[in-house]
Amino acid sequence: MDIDPDKLASPHAVAFLASKIRNVPDFPKPGIQFKDITTLVADARAFHVCLDLMAEPFIGADIQAVAAMEARGFIFGGALAARLNTGFVPVRKPGKLPADVDEAAYALEYGENRLQMHKGAIAEGARVLIVDDLLATGGTAEATASLVKTQGGIVVGFVFAIELDFLAGRARLEAASGAPVHSVVHVAG
Ligand code: AMP
C-alpha cells in the first residue's frame, strides 16, 4: 500500500469535526450563516484532531513564525505555533497593540476593518504560516499576508479550520500570494 501523507485527513475525521461546528443563522446580521467554532474547541478530541489536521501539511516545512488574526485565529494560531515549534505573531484590530505598528485595510464578508502588526514582528526572510479559524472572501488573510510581506517575510501557506468554498477566498489568496491554502472542513454552500 502506498502511503500518501496528503490523505491523512480521513472523511470520517473531517465529518466528526464538521459535526462539532455550530451554525448560527443571521449572526451578526441577517443572511449570515455564522460558523461557531466554540463548540468544536470545547470538545477535547475535536480540538486535538483539528489542530493535527491543520498542522500536518506544514510539518517539516521550515516554518519560522505563525501569524494569526484576532480573535478566533488566536485560538488555533498559538496552539499551531507550539506544535510546529515556531514563534507566534498576533495580528490585531487597531488600538490593541502597544508599540509601533504596520497597518493594512481589509473587507470582511460583513463590514470593513483594518489590521495591525507590530513593526519588526517578522524577521527579514522569515518563513511564515498564516492561520485563522475560517476563510470566507479571503480579505482578512490577504491583508495579513500583505503585512507579512511588508516586513520582509515569506508567506509559506495559509491554514484554516473552515473554508466557505462558495466565496472563492482560496482563488483570491492563491492569486495574491502564490502560497498554498489548506482548510480542514469545507462548507460547499
Ligand atoms: P474573510 O476576510 O471574508 O475571509 O472573512 C474571514 C474572517 O471573518 C475570519 O476571521 C472569520 O472568523 C470571520 N468570518 C467571516 N464569515 C464568517 C462566518 N460565516 N462564520 C464565522 N466567521 C466568519
Side-chain angles (χ1 to χ4, degrees):
M1 176 186 166
D2 289 336
I3 305 295
D4 183 347
D6 290 335
K7 293 186 178 151
L8 288 178
S10 74
H12 188 77
V14 174
F16 168 64
L17 295 176
S19 77
K20 297 293 179 185
I21 298 163
R22 176 162 54 194
N23 190 70
V24 183
D26 300 321
F27 183 88
K29 66 181 194 185
I32 302 294
Q33 301 288 327
F34 191 87
K35 304 300 173 191
D36 177 17
I37 51 86
T38 65
T39 42
L40 187 155
V41 302
D43 183 295
R45 274 187 164 153
F47 193 26
H48 187 101
V49 169
C50 191
L51 289 168
D52 276 353
L53 296 181
M54 290 173 83
E56 182 274 323
F58 300 99
I59 292 169
D62 194 21
I63 306 290
Q64 283 141 359
V66 165
M69 298 76 118
E70 178 179 1
R72 291 181 294 276
F74 290 178
I75 297 169
F76 296 97
L80 283 174
R83 279 189 187 209
L84 294 169
N85 286 310
T86 76
F88 177 77
V89 176
V91 178
R92 302 209 62 181
K93 291 170 186 159
K96 301 285 188 184
L97 290 170
D100 289 346
V101 295
D102 288 317
E103 182 175 282
Y106 71 106
L108 277 179
E109 188 188 357
Y110 40 86
E112 274 191 359
N113 218 328
R114 290 172 289 139
L115 287 176
Q116 298 183 335
M117 184 186 279
H118 271 147
K119 283 188 185 295
I122 305 282
E124 184 76 31
R127 292 170 57 79
V128 180
L129 178 64
I130 294 175
V131 176
D132 204 356
D133 67 324
L134 181 143
L135 172 62
T137 66
T140 310
E142 190 181 7
T144 300
S146 81
L147 286 169
V148 169
K149 288 180 200 165
T150 295
Q151 297 197 359
I154 298 163
V155 178
V156 176
F158 299 87
V159 63
F160 305 91
I162 308 167
E163 177 172 348
L164 305 184
D165 293 347
F166 53 95
L167 291 175
R170 170 179 295 262
R172 176 178 178 171
L173 292 181
E174 286 172 348
S177 73
V181 176
H182 173 64
S183 306
V184 176
V185 174
H186 290 263
V187 177

